[in-house]
Amino acid sequence: MSRNRQWLVLSLLLITLGSLIFAYKYVRLGFPPLPDMQSEAWSIQARVQLDPETGSVRASLVLPSRPTGFTVSDENFISRGFGLTLEEDTYRRQANWAIRRMREPTTLYYRANVIRDTRDKSFAPRPAFPDVPQLEEPFATALQDIITEVRAESADIETFAAAMMARMTGREDDENTRLFLSTVESPMDRVRLVQTLLAGARIPTLQLHGVSLEQEQAAAQISTLLAVHNGEDWLVFNPYSGEEHLPDDFFIWWTGDRTMARVTGADLGEIQVSTRKQLKSALDLATLRANLRDSRMGMISILQLPLQTQGVYEVLLLIPFGILLIVVLRNFVGLSSFGTFAPVLIALAFRETELLKGILLFVLIVSLGLAFRFYLERLRLLLVPRLAAVVTIVVLLMAAISIISNEMGMETGLSVSLFPMIIISLVIERMSIVWEERGAGTALKEGVGSLFMAALAYVVMGIDLLTYWVTVFPEINLIVLGIIVAMGRYTGFRLTELSRFSKISDQNA
Amino acid sequence: MLRNYRTLKKAGVLGLNARNGNYILQYNKRRFYPLVDDKVLCKRCLQERNLAVPDLIGVIRSMRGASHMEDVLGDQREFVIKPAHGSGGDGIQVITDRKADYFVDSDGKLVEFADLKHHVTNVIGGMYSLGGQPDVAMIETLVHFDQAFSALTYHGVPDIRVIVYMGYPVMAMTRLPTRRSHGKANLHQGAIGVGIDLASGLTVGGVSGNAPVSVHPDTGENIQGFRIPHWERILLMASQCYEAVSLGYLGVDIVLDRDLGPLILELNARPGLNIQIANRQGLKCRLKQIDQLENKEADAETRIAWSCRAFGTLGEEPVAS
């Protein structure tokens, strides 16, 4: 019994495996299921203006390191004669520029192309618990009071942090809050204040600085969010409202309480950040993403192959669909043809010539070849030389058709070159035998059947979406294989048998 | 359409997919195939079991052998040339007489010796074998068909096909050559298939192609109710073939010779399904009945007796007790 069900297990396994790879590539890597889909990419730029003072100049700019939800696909710098070094570790990247003498105002640029990626909150390592800040009176007592009150109003770190930030919006009018808010002069002060208060409860916090990639901005505002660690994970809050939310389009440029750029030996003018949106082929972006991530799954695509090889595989990977069709036509419908898979190969030839012209050419070559074959029969040639003669005649016929159609100014004749002549020769041989043994009717019927199957296979293998799928998602052939395996155990009637055996059921009904 | 499907299923009809998947793949082991696919081997195997077959005149294995065909033929006036690996009756050349330098075929047409030789080289080249494999040509004695059939046949030799499953005869028919089939007993070449009641050996009704017929199209004779001679022996021989070639699902083709009685012409590991139309009966329900037998009989006579009881349709006394 277990062997009887093995085919089912294998088939389901293949289908599941194919679907999983497909789903992974679609959901995680964002390979588009339809061709010509576009998705957005961003180009962000930081412009650092320096005005000369005296002596040598050093400037540093933090670079995006782990922007959650995005990936930097490539970046470049415009350094204007400055020496550039990059300083990187796991969570921090920084560009250092240096020059001995700077005589006139200079602008340095950093530009990065950014694409969307999956969101994982790995922008910073697991933090240590901060020390309780040592404040002077009356702040120390006020801090203790606020912490006690907020703790009473909250259940865990998440609600504690949210309540603390809400309290600092100043809507609640109590004197401790007012005391702390009186020290706040800028929005950044407010963020630092919240950090201090949370540190009072030994809760680790981290500033997240970034820009919103919602729409293009010539002068984008750097905004700050506050990440609070609850012992397991980072929770991101809007420190001004206490709302827990990391917007989808928030691009985290850097973390921590440092400034974006630092300069010595020159006067730091304005840092201008601008963002620009670009529409790119979703497929290119997905491929880029897979490459950046070094994803093996993403590599399962013939797009990685050299262009020439791609063309070959685009056709080869379609063959299983043609074969699947043949299985359906033979085992479910009950049609028969010359040679089991010959129709698929003929269909491949049709791809070179287009359907109607292909059929005409096929009929022309086969009927001429058949005529020669009947003549050869009279010469009593031995089998192999006779087959060889037929192949040669087929080749000559194709050459003749090409030359004639060229003379007449038609182009299709030329593309006949890839017509599978061996297949045609075998069809001719087989057809002539059937012709002699079973009569012209059967031979023609089977010939037309083969042609019909070839035409159908051509139509199926010509579906653009299918071509695109096998190119980008070759794993769907695993699904096809699973279906073929399952169909191999279909032991019911074929469609043609319904009428063939109908006399029996009449009798017994 | 779906209703058609259900009625066929209810009638116990065996489809090609089910035949291939559930019976041939399961009960016919590939290593025994050569025993039936190679007619020379098959003949030897049957002769070892003392099952009667047409005698072998000779085998031509190579193109060189073909040029010595005269020696093989000797002064045989009548013989049959067959591809050892042929299927569906293709490539069979029947010679019934010699006139001067010519041979006479089953239609009475004259055939040159060179034509005959060309035919043999075609056979050796693999024109009629599955997949175009090189083959050998087998020459065997012509069967003189039993006059009992003369009213029911147009030239050629009618044969009897018995489907044997696990050694049990399951269904039988006789195939009558017609003008359309050029004297060949092959259904898709135009011969008529006539069902035979297993228990009595009486014919029940015929089919030409897929259409039912009750009279022979060339002789006008009624083909129903004809009693097949030597029926008991035919069943016995067919049933014993199971032990000879170890194939669970087997088609046995038997001809009746005027002098020698029933002879096994060939065995078939993938017998066709038209026998169901000829008998207006489904095979599957009968095969299932055998599947349900708890212990299969080792003895051919007992198996036949069981089959005749189970599958006899005319309600006559079975010939085998």
Side-chain angles (χ1 to χ4, degrees), chain A residues 339-385:
Chain A
T340 313
F341 293 123
V344 175
L345 296 171
I346 296 171
L348 286 182
F350 286 169
R351 285 170 69 91
E352 307 287 328
T353 56
E354 292 169 32
L355 187 57
L356 208 65
K357 290 172 188 167
I359 291 178
L360 282 175
L361 274 174
F362 182 81
V363 171
L364 191 65
I365 293 175
V366 167
S367 39
L368 285 175
L370 212 53
F372 274 104
R373 167 68 180 71
F374 281 127
Y375 170 68
L376 288 179
E377 177 69 23
R378 287 218 232 139
L379 301 185
R380 298 197 185 112
L381 300 184
L382 294 184
L383 183 82
V384 176

Side-chain angles (χ1 to χ4, degrees), chain B residues 301-318:
Chain B
E301 271 102 353
T302 343
R303 292 197 298 249
I304 293 167
W306 184 89
S307 283
C308 289
R309 269 198 311 280
F311 306 139
T313 49
L314 292 182
E316 278 199 17
E317 274 299 300

Side-chain angles (χ1 to χ4, degrees), chain A residues 101-326:
Chain A
R101 258 201 127 70
M102 190 181 76
R103 292 212 170 77
E104 50 198 28
T106 308
T107 312
L108 301 174
Y109 288 92
Y110 165 74
R111 197 174 291 151
N113 288 322
V114 169
I115 56 176
R116 288 211 174 264
D117 204 343
T118 43
R119 303 164 65 88
D120 46 352
K121 292 184 191 165
S122 61
F123 41 75
R126 203 185 176 86
F129 293 112
D131 292 326
V132 176
Q134 301 299 313
L135 301 179
E136 293 166 23
E137 289 300 343
F139 293 104
T141 322
L143 175 65
Q144 285 312 312
D145 288 352
I146 288 185
I147 288 173
T148 318
E149 281 170 35
V150 172
R151 186 166 279 151
E153 293 166 9
S154 61
D156 51 16
I157 291 177
E158 186 178 346
T159 47
F160 183 89
M164 186 64 89
M165 287 179 230
R167 190 171 277 251
M168 286 307 127
T169 53
R171 255 171 286 154
E172 248 179 90
D173 195 30
D174 74 287
E175 52 189 34
N176 287 331
T177 310
R178 248 180 290 137
L179 176 66
F180 279 112
L181 283 178
S182 66
T183 64
V184 170
E185 281 163 6
S186 70
M188 262 331 277
D189 282 346
R190 178 112 133 252
V191 176
R192 278 185 216 110
L193 170 64
V194 171
Q195 283 187 288
T196 311
L197 293 173
L198 289 176
R202 303 209 66 192
I203 296 172
T205 53
L206 182 70
Q207 293 172 13
L208 307 177
H209 309 273
V211 289
S212 164
L213 292 184
E214 198 179 356
Q215 56 197 37
E216 294 195 2
Q217 296 178 84
Q221 198 72 42
I222 294 284
S223 48
T224 303
L225 298 179
L226 192 63
V228 174
H229 204 270
N230 69 355
E232 281 165 15
D233 209 356
W234 286 106
L235 309 170
V236 180
F237 289 88
N238 181 340
Y240 308 107
S241 68
E243 187 191 357
E244 190 197 340
H245 179 49
L246 174 60
D248 277 346
D249 42 30
F250 188 76
F251 175 80
I252 301 173
W253 192 302
W254 80 97
T255 61
D257 47 6
R258 20 186 279 148
T259 52
M260 189 175 188
R262 268 178 242 175
V263 175
T264 57
D267 192 27
L268 175 61
E270 203 186 355
I271 307 174
Q272 200 181 52
V273 176
S274 58
T275 61
R276 227 150 46 80
K277 182 152 87 174
Q278 297 161 322
L279 281 180
K280 282 193 174 170
S281 144
L283 181 58
D284 288 349
L285 290 183
T287 313
L288 190 60
R289 202 173 294 131
N291 280 340
L292 288 172
R293 242 199 251 173
D294 205 18
S295 161
R296 289 265 162 259
M297 288 289 188
M299 298 294 172
I300 307 178
S301 150
I302 59 172
L303 296 172
Q304 312 285 339
L305 296 172
L307 217 57
Q308 229 176 337
T309 325
Q310 269 185 41
V312 176
Y313 274 98
E314 196 182 286
V315 176
L316 284 187
L317 286 168
L318 276 173
I319 291 181
F321 284 91
I323 305 253
L324 180 71
L325 179 80
I326 300 287

Side-chain angles (χ1 to χ4, degrees), chain A residues 331 377 380-383 386 433 437-438 489-495 497-498 500-501 503-504 507-508, chain B residues 1 5 8 13 15-18 22 90-91 115 118 121-122 125 127-128 188 212 274 276-277 280:
Chain A
N331 273 29
E377 177 69 23
R380 298 197 185 112
L381 300 184
L382 294 184
L383 183 82
R386 187 179 62 221
I433 292 175
E437 297 278 333
R438 315 252 163 95
R489 284 301 312 172
Y490 171 74
T491 55
F493 295 112
R494 298 171 183 181
L495 205 58
E497 285 178 338
L498 293 186
R500 180 183 167 198
F501 292 130
K503 296 286 175 314
I504 306 176
Q507 188 93 9
N508 289 272
Chain B
M1 200 180 281
Y5 191 100
L8 274 193
V13 173
L16 264 178
N17 290 335
N22 296 343
D90 288 351
D115 283 327
H118 178 58
T121 56
N122 271 345
M127 188 163 141
Y128 303 103
H188 52 241
N274 274 340
Q276 301 179 102
I277 307 173
R280 311 281 162 78

Side-chain angles (χ1 to χ4, degrees), chain A residues 434-488:
Chain A
V434 173
W435 193 297
E436 276 177 16
E437 297 278 333
R438 315 252 163 95
T442 319
L444 288 179
K445 209 176 90 189
E446 271 190 48
V448 171
S450 305
L451 210 51
F452 171 73
M453 284 161 90
L456 221 55
Y458 167 83
V459 171
V460 168
M461 294 197 291
I463 298 173
D464 282 339
L465 187 62
L466 222 52
T467 316
Y468 171 79
W469 274 359
V470 295
T471 322
V472 181
F473 305 105
E475 63 274 7
I476 56 174
N477 272 326
L478 284 176
I479 303 178
V480 173
L481 180 59
I483 297 173
I484 290 176
V485 167
M487 292 201 304

